[in-house]
Amino acid sequence: MTNEVLSAAELRARLLRTCQSIIDSCDLLCQADRDLGDGDHGVTMARAFTAAKEGLEASAPVSAGADFSMIGSKLMGAGGTAGIVFGTWFSTLGRTVADRALDAGTLAAGMTAAAQNVQARGKVVLGEKTMFDALSPAVEALTAAVGNGADAALKQAAVAAKAGVDATRQMIATKGKAKTLGERSLGFPDPGAISVALIFEGLSTTA
Amino acid sequence: MTNEVLSAAELRARLLRTCQSIIDSCDLLCQADRDLGDGDHGVTMARAFTAAKEGLEASAPVSAGADFSMIGSKLMGAGGTAGIVFGTWFSTLGRTVADRALDAGTLAAGMTAAAQNVQARGKVVLGEKTMFDALSPAVEALTAAVGNGADAALKQAAVAAKAGVDATRQMIATKGKAKTLGERSLGFPDPGAISVALIFEGLSTTA
Amino acid sequence: MSKVKKIFNAPARIVDETLDGLVALSNGAVVREGMWPVLRRSVKRTGKVALVIGGGSGHEPMYTAFVGEGFADASVAGEIFAAPSPDQIAVAARAVDTGKGVLFVFGNYAGDVMNFEVASEILAEEGIRCATSLVADDAAIADPDLKRGIAGAVYQVKLAAWACEHLDTLDEVLAFVETAKKNLSTFGVAVRAGSLPHTGTPTFEIGDDEIEIGMGMHGERGVKRQKLPLADDLTAEITDHLVADLNLKAGDEIAVLLDNFGSATYAELMIVNRKMRMILNERGIVVSRFDIGAYFTCQEMSGFSLSFLRLNPDLKVALNAPAYVPGVGQFGGV
Amino acid sequence: MSKVKKIFNAPARIVDETLDGLVALSNGAVVREGMWPVLRRSVKRTGKVALVIGGGSGHEPMYTAFVGEGFADASVAGEIFAAPSPDQIAVAARAVDTGKGVLFVFGNYAGDVMNFEVASEILAEEGIRCATSLVADDAAIADPDLKRGIAGAVYQVKLAAWACEHLDTLDEVLAFVETAKKNLSTFGVAVRAGSLPHTGTPTFEIGDDEIEIGMGMHGERGVKRQKLPLADDLTAEITDHLVADLNLKAGDEIAVLLDNFGSATYAELMIVNRKMRMILNERGIVVSRFDIGAYFTCQEMSGFSLSFLRLNPDLKVALNAPAYVPGVGQFGGV
Ligand SMILES: Nc1ncnc2c1ncn2[C@@H]1O[C@H](COP(=O)(O)OP(=O)(O)O)[C@@H](O)[C@H]1O
Ligand SMILES: Nc1ncnc2c1ncn2[C@@H]1O[C@H](COP(=O)(O)OP(=O)(O)O)[C@@H](O)[C@H]1O
Ligand SMILES: [Mg+2]
Ligand SMILES: [Mg+2]
Ligand SMILES: [Mg+2]
Ligand SMILES: [Mg+2]
């Protein structure tokens, strides 16, 4: 089934699955962060998305914007790099989407604004081996596929995010905890980028 | 060859080999002490017998008594339980043998006095799972075999010391670092007893 | 590989219960701000720039416990190795602001920088002025923007506290600390990683004869790995590096902080201290204050760092001002 | 199993270089007695009973560093986990005897007992009177003869130092310390063993979910092994044990020393402190002094001990007398 507009109920279901998928990936994300950072990315993400999930479960699905905002503020409250970066993403998305119906164009506009805010907050550019290296190509793919509807666009975004993760393997980190590793950061995928791919996978998957 | 009297030169050769044998047993003795104590018995014994060996090497073999005394004071200076206990043994032996020729009777008298002093210093009785459980039977065996000459008596002592080591396996420690282990000390041989057996083996072996 | 065991009730309760433990031992000197992971002096000081410190937990006693005489007005504790969130930081700042603004001192890590930045924006909207003096003392890294904040934080916070106490405006305080920190440099090494209590897994693997040089404080690795050297050679390398970094000359006076990352033994630190003193003596550099202890830790990481602070009359007064925090006791140096 | 790495030059030089490191940081307050492993105050005190402490090394800062105001006149350091030899002990005693005799305070271990005994015999022949107050505070062991000397040593040495300073004769000093120590009890636990630097091998193996209860200070094992409990349950067990051992009642005042064996994290200690306070509060037992730190360690062993000292007016005065040792700093408690 192709959704030209993602209903609040359908989005809610996907968001809940996304939360669960992050929570279930705790060990995987921690291992990725042990290779490059301080080993806690999974713990922080799981804590943040548990709070987000609880927030969703405690409220009725009113609008896409409200759900994104709720998640954004829960992530932001979880602390850590992950909390502020992913929180900025979802908060901006929520603020931009607001109470509009979630069609491909609205989603693309929201994601584009979100990626810009993440970039600004993180003072990050492409190629620094961060989650932005998955987020930015995903948002671009989503925007490029906007004519195919929200569902198809999200699927393209998920593919691009995964490719973005792979691309981070070849990057030398210049932001985050891996920045001091120099060439030793080569060969490992960025943990935050993996989280981005998991999120787009969750958002693009029907039950 | 049976020595009715152990010459100062022959004793010296055996003492040097004994020192070396203890030094070479460092790991074995540490492992035994890890099972029951603080894991350092080999280190202390090796340190003590290295000092003893250096002392011997720096002096001509004048008399058995002098060699025993020299070893005693080197061991005593090495510190630790091993230093004081084995130091007491050799110091007393040296003092008792003094400048007498080392026949079986003199040796037995010296060893008997030494065992008594060790017992007094350690406030230890048989069955407490210490080096005394190898030393005491060894000295008894040596004394019993005194009529067969010094060499044969030392060989009997070595056999008894080994049996003493085995017997410590079945004992619950009530002295030394293992005393708090209770039944957990069962099954392991006492490290100090192993050292005693190594020493009698060294003393009873011709090159 | 065997798991690292710790004594706790639940990983998610560690930060909370650590704060409660600190309050419990302080005889009323420090309290928590509600249920927040914020520790503050129980008696609110007035008419001064407020000092708020913080960062991820797991490095105790830094930053959490360093609240009290001669140190911060409040600390805010994130989860282990994770920066505190903007709302937590804002709570800490509001609790101690006296109208003269708030100085934040925390380490130069992406997460901390971003979270404190958002908090500052929130507070600015409320009319509370905030300024930040980043701790970025890591001599292993040349680029100033990339320098991490490590154990020199202890000195930087102490100097900041003095400035908040004795200087009038937030701008003056900030200028003092920013100038002071140019004299501060730290270098760390580790032979074994610490582990996150949640996973019990060391944050990095390292060979039986290797050492990580230029170590950070979260188990993120250092700048290079090499064969384990003799203590004297290692100490010489570190000492020379710090002397060069601060461009120290004969006759210079310094304070030295020898920080235990967690499970270094006291003997190791003494062996390092011995050699460092020999080198500094030879060069005519005077150690006029020395602090040794596990002040800024990384769980059970085995390693240490040396921090040098070049002293001048002003910094000497500031550094040697009386300081006492309940969870650590007197901080008077030798 | 991977080796434990330490930063040193050679195992056989660790004790020596630790002593040199202590002298180097002390600004002249302590010196070595010749080349001996003996640290003493550089200015010889007169007209008082002298206090000499010591034991095997590897537990730093105890005993080695605890020389100075409010602590010992001299310490004598054996090799790691090995008692000092009689001649070393005698050197320490001779260096600080003022004619009024010497009190030895050291732990109840076979090696220490025998070596100090022989030293006392040597010194007696020279006309120096010595007496011994054994540290035997281990609450895990019921039989007084078998009790080991663990972290309560810090308090016992401090009380002994006060007595040496304020009482006239060796007999009076000994009587004071022997009476005082009846109020002292310690209980330790560990989740991971330390290792001897010479071998780099932990002194015992322990399962991924086990804890050793009633732990000693040399890696010799505790009195039992059990599944790792929650921190609160463990703390309750230890606290109850100590309360029973000292027969503490509501209204009693105690001092508490929470000792880090080596690589316990500060957070773990705070979690323990938190629960201990709750239990003591409930029972009406007042903690009027608290000391926390890695004072008596066992290499990188992971664990801690709680020491309770029941206070009375005399012990309070003695325990709270000013104390400062260069290698540790102020020892003032909270
Ligand atoms: N400046 C930055 N901007 C955006 N993302 C960043 C930045 N620095 C780091 N990250 C992302 O954060 C991830 C690490 O998250 P996490 O482990 O939660 O934080 P921390 O590094 O504080 O432990 C990295 O993998 C990277 O993707
Ligand atoms: N009271 C004692 N009398 C005689 N020997 C003892 C006594 N206590 C312990 N020992 C011996 O000392 C040995 C341990 O020596 P060592 O490891 O060097 O000393 P420590 O226990 O001080 O580490 C034990 O195996 C035991 O044989
Ligand atoms: Mg991380
Ligand atoms: Mg031993
Ligand atoms: Mg982190
Ligand atoms: Mg020993």
Side-chain angles (χ1 to χ4, degrees):
Chain A
M1 182 192 94
T2 303
N3 285 289
E4 278 315 302
V5 169
L6 269 179
S7 72
E10 172 62 14
L11 176 70
R12 169 62 70 97
R14 295 189 187 187
L15 287 172
L16 283 169
R17 283 198 303 272
T18 303
C19 291
Q20 193 58 51
S21 138
I22 292 284
I23 295 166
D24 294 343
S25 305
C26 181
D27 288 351
L28 178 154
L29 295 171
C30 282
Q31 180 52 51
D33 199 25
R34 270 196 291 277
D35 292 332
L36 287 173
D38 56 356
D40 65 348
H41 185 61
V43 171
T44 304
M45 290 297 283
R47 183 174 66 247
F49 280 82
T50 299
K53 186 163 172 259
E54 285 167 5
L56 292 176
E57 280 163 353
S59 70
V62 177
S63 74
D67 274 11
F68 287 139
S69 292
M70 140 86 76
I71 293 177
S73 86
K74 292 293 181 182
L75 303 186
M76 196 83 96
T81 308
I84 196 88
V85 168
F86 289 83
T88 298
W89 173 2
F90 277 87
S91 293
T92 310
L93 186 57
R95 210 160 45 238
T96 315
V97 170
D99 48 14
R100 278 191 285 280
L102 199 59
D103 57 27
T106 306
L107 188 59
M111 286 287 188
T112 303
Q116 275 161 4
N117 272 1
V118 165
Q119 170 155 40
R121 181 61 72 199
K123 299 185 186 64
V124 72
V125 295
L126 282 174
E128 297 201 275
K129 199 178 183 105
T130 69
M131 58 79 78
F132 188 66
D133 292 307
L135 179 59
S136 176
V139 172
E140 274 186 24
L142 191 150
T143 306
V146 91
N148 308 334
D151 245 7
L154 276 169
K155 286 213 161 58
Q156 291 306 312
V159 170
K162 277 214 190 76
V165 172
D166 280 340
T168 63
R169 286 181 188 272
Q170 320 306 329
M171 297 173 186
I172 292 181
T174 50
K175 280 277 177 330
K177 295 241 156 59
K179 71 188 176 189
T180 50
L181 281 177
E183 306 229 321
R184 295 210 274 167
S185 66
L186 284 171
F188 301 103
D190 176 66
I194 300 175
S195 289
V196 170
L198 287 171
I199 291 169
F200 276 107
E201 190 182 296
L203 291 180
S204 65
T205 310
T206 38
Chain B
M1 182 192 93
T2 304
N3 284 289
E4 277 315 300
V5 169
L6 270 179
S7 72
E10 171 64 15
L11 177 71
R12 170 63 69 99
R14 294 189 188 187
L15 287 172
L16 284 169
R17 285 197 304 272
T18 303
C19 291
Q20 193 59 49
S21 138
I22 291 283
I23 296 166
D24 294 342
S25 305
C26 181
D27 288 352
L28 178 153
L29 295 171
C30 281
Q31 181 51 51
D33 199 26
R34 273 197 289 278
D35 291 332
L36 287 173
D38 56 356
D40 65 349
H41 185 61
V43 171
T44 304
M45 288 298 282
R47 184 174 65 247
F49 279 84
T50 300
K53 185 162 172 260
E54 286 167 4
L56 291 176
E57 280 163 353
S59 70
V62 177
S63 74
D67 274 12
F68 287 140
S69 291
M70 140 87 76
I71 294 178
S73 86
K74 293 293 181 182
L75 303 186
M76 197 82 96
T81 308
I84 195 87
V85 168
F86 289 83
T88 299
W89 172 3
F90 278 86
S91 293
T92 310
L93 186 56
R95 212 161 42 238
T96 315
V97 169
D99 48 14
R100 277 192 285 279
L102 199 59
D103 58 26
T106 305
L107 187 60
M111 287 286 189
T112 303
Q116 275 162 2
N117 272 3
V118 165
Q119 171 156 39
R121 183 59 73 200
K123 299 184 187 65
V124 72
V125 293
L126 283 173
E128 295 201 275
K129 199 178 183 108
T130 70
M131 58 80 79
F132 189 65
D133 292 307
L135 179 59
S136 175
V139 172
E140 275 185 23
L142 191 150
T143 306
V146 91
N148 307 333
D151 245 7
L154 277 168
K155 288 214 160 62
Q156 290 306 310
V159 171
K162 278 213 190 79
V165 172
D166 279 340
T168 63
R169 286 181 189 272
Q170 320 306 328
M171 298 175 186
I172 292 181
T174 52
K175 280 278 177 329
K177 295 241 156 59
K179 70 188 179 190
T180 50
L181 282 178
E183 306 230 319
R184 294 209 275 168
S185 65
L186 284 171
F188 301 103
D190 176 66
I194 299 176
S195 288
V196 171
L198 288 170
I199 290 169
F200 276 107
E201 192 182 295
L203 291 181
S204 64
T205 309
T206 37
Chain C
M1 195 196 39
S2 74
K3 286 267 166 191
V4 177
K5 281 166 290 181
K6 300 223 168 96
I7 292 162
F8 51 68
N9 294 303
R13 283 169 56 189
I14 290 175
V15 174
D16 225 48
E17 294 180 355
T18 299
L19 287 160
D20 287 344
L22 277 165
V23 171
L25 70 74
S26 81
N27 298 321
V30 295
V31 292
R32 281 181 71 166
E33 184 69 15
M35 299 296 290
W36 295 92
V38 169
L39 201 72
R40 63 167 175 84
R41 300 175 76 161
S42 51
V43 179
K44 187 163 174 171
R45 324 274 323 291
T46 52
K48 71 183 273 291
V49 176
L51 176 61
V52 172
I53 61 175
S57 293
H59 309 291
E60 290 73 30
M62 204 64 181
Y63 285 89
T64 316
F66 278 86
V67 174
E69 188 194 350
F71 280 100
D73 295 299
S75 67
V76 50
E79 277 300 313
I80 294 174
F81 296 170
S85 66
D87 49 349
Q88 293 165 343
I89 297 165
V91 163
R94 281 183 210 114
V96 294
D97 174 49
T98 73
K100 301 196 79 170
V102 178
L103 181 73
F104 290 136
V105 177
F106 57 88
N108 184 24
Y109 297 95
D112 295 284
V113 170
M114 290 187 267
N115 280 285
F116 274 92
E117 207 172 79
V118 173
S120 300
E121 291 164 11
I122 295 170
L123 291 161
E125 282 176 26
E126 298 172 13
I128 298 178
R129 242 197 97 202
C130 302
T132 287
S133 177
L134 276 182
V135 183
D137 56 328
D138 187 356
I141 297 164
D143 183 339
D145 289 342
L146 296 187
K147 276 176 183 287
R148 299 172 289 200
I150 51 180
V154 181
Y155 280 169
Q156 190 167 332
V157 170
K158 182 143 196 348
L159 296 174
W162 183 87
C164 287
E165 198 76 40
H166 292 91
L167 304 180
D168 195 41
T169 66
L170 182 55
D171 289 336
E172 289 170 84
V173 166
L174 181 64
F176 176 87
V177 185
E178 286 296 298
T179 306
K181 83 183 205 196
K182 298 199 176 99
N183 298 291
L184 180 61
S185 186
T186 301
F187 199 99
V189 296
V191 293
R192 190 175 68 112
S195 64
L196 209 62
H198 307 70
T199 62
T201 312
T203 52
F204 58 85
E205 297 300 321
I206 182 162
D208 268 5
D209 58 348
E210 291 180 326
I211 183 169
E212 197 67 35
I213 303 285
M215 195 60 211
M217 290 306 299
H218 304 79
E220 77 274 21
R221 283 175 284 183
V223 297
K224 68 175 175 182
R225 181 168 290 194
Q226 64 179 51
K227 292 284 163 218
L228 187 63
L230 291 184
D232 280 359
D233 295 336
L234 180 66
T235 304
E237 184 181 339
I238 297 172
T239 306
D240 290 349
H241 193 105
L242 290 172
V243 165
D245 195 50
L246 291 176
N247 193 19
L248 294 175
K249 301 263 180 297
D252 280 352
E253 263 186 83
I254 60 171
V256 175
L257 182 114
L258 177 43
D259 187 56
N260 185 342
F261 284 161
S263 64
T265 58
Y266 190 91
E268 291 171 275
L269 302 185
M270 278 304 116
I271 292 168
V272 168
N273 173 55
R274 170 185 168 276
K275 181 67 181 179
M276 177 198 73
R277 301 281 179 154
M278 293 168 93
I279 298 170
L280 293 177
N281 278 345
E282 267 167 34
R283 297 181 174 233
I285 297 162
V286 180
V287 178
S288 71
R289 177 180 168 128
F290 182 65
D291 294 276
I292 176 170
Y295 293 119
F296 200 143
T297 65
C298 175
Q299 299 294 305
E300 75 284 7
M301 184 156 78
S302 184
F304 68 88
S305 67
L306 275 172
S307 300
F308 285 6
L309 175 68
R310 187 211 327 266
L311 295 172
N312 58 37
D314 285 354
L315 291 185
K316 232 167 146 168
V317 167
L319 188 68
N320 291 332
Y324 174 84
V325 296
V328 178
Q330 301 284 349
F331 183 78
V334 185
Chain D
M1 195 194 39
S2 74
K3 287 267 166 191
V4 178
K5 280 166 291 179
K6 301 224 166 94
I7 293 162
F8 51 69
N9 294 303
R13 284 169 56 188
I14 291 175
V15 174
D16 226 47
E17 294 180 353
T18 300
L19 287 160
D20 287 344
L22 278 164
V23 171
L25 70 75
S26 80
N27 297 321
V30 295
V31 292
R32 280 182 72 166
E33 185 67 17
M35 298 296 289
W36 295 92
V38 169
L39 201 73
R40 64 166 175 84
R41 300 175 76 161
S42 52
V43 180
K44 186 162 172 170
R45 325 273 323 290
T46 52
K48 71 181 274 290
V49 175
L51 177 61
V52 171
I53 61 175
S57 292
H59 309 291
E60 290 73 29
M62 203 62 178
Y63 286 86
T64 316
F66 278 86
V67 173
E69 188 194 349
F71 279 100
D73 295 298
S75 66
V76 50
E79 278 300 313
I80 293 172
F81 295 170
S85 66
D87 50 349
Q88 294 166 343
I89 297 166
V91 163
R94 281 183 211 116
V96 295
D97 175 48
T98 72
K100 300 197 78 171
V102 177
L103 181 71
F104 291 135
V105 177
F106 58 87
N108 184 25
Y109 297 95
D112 294 285
V113 170
M114 290 186 269
N115 280 285
F116 274 91
E117 209 171 78
V118 173
S120 300
E121 291 164 11
I122 295 170
L123 291 161
E125 280 176 25
E126 298 172 13
I128 299 178
R129 241 196 99 203
C130 303
T132 287
S133 177
L134 276 181
V135 183
D137 55 328
D138 186 357
I141 296 165
D143 183 338
D145 290 341
L146 298 186
K147 276 176 182 288
R148 298 172 289 200
I150 50 179
V154 181
Y155 280 170
Q156 189 166 330
V157 170
K158 181 139 194 357
L159 297 173
W162 183 87
C164 287
E165 199 74 42
H166 292 91
L167 303 180
D168 195 42
T169 66
L170 183 55
D171 289 336
E172 288 170 84
V173 166
L174 181 65
F176 177 88
V177 185
E178 286 296 298
T179 305
K181 83 183 205 195
K182 299 201 175 95
N183 298 291
L184 180 62
S185 186
T186 301
F187 199 101
V189 297
V191 293
R192 189 174 70 112
S195 63
L196 209 62
H198 307 69
T199 61
T201 312
T203 53
F204 59 85
E205 297 299 321
I206 183 162
D208 269 5
D209 58 347
E210 290 179 327
I211 183 168
E212 198 64 36
I213 302 286
M215 195 59 212
M217 289 306 298
H218 304 78
E220 78 274 23
R221 283 174 285 182
V223 297
K224 67 176 177 183
R225 183 169 288 194
Q226 64 180 50
K227 292 282 160 217
L228 187 63
L230 291 183
D232 281 359
D233 295 335
L234 180 65
T235 305
E237 186 181 337
I238 297 172
T239 306
D240 290 348
H241 193 103
L242 290 172
V243 165
D245 195 48
L246 291 176
N247 194 20
L248 295 174
K249 302 263 179 299
D252 281 350
E253 264 186 81
I254 61 172
V256 175
L257 181 115
L258 177 42
D259 187 56
N260 184 342
F261 284 161
S263 65
T265 58
Y266 190 90
E268 291 170 275
L269 302 185
M270 278 303 118
I271 292 168
V272 168
N273 173 53
R274 169 185 169 277
K275 181 66 181 178
M276 178 198 72
R277 301 282 178 154
M278 294 169 94
I279 297 170
L280 293 177
N281 278 345
E282 267 167 32
R283 297 181 173 232
I285 296 161
V286 180
V287 178
S288 71
R289 176 181 168 128
F290 183 65
D291 294 276
I292 178 171
Y295 293 118
F296 201 143
T297 64
C298 175
Q299 299 294 306
E300 76 284 8
M301 183 157 78
S302 183
F304 68 88
S305 67
L306 275 171
S307 300
F308 285 7
L309 174 68
R310 186 213 326 267
L311 295 171
N312 57 37
D314 285 354
L315 291 186
K316 232 166 147 169
V317 168
L319 188 68
N320 291 332
Y324 173 85
V325 296
V328 178
Q330 302 283 349
F331 184 78
V334 185

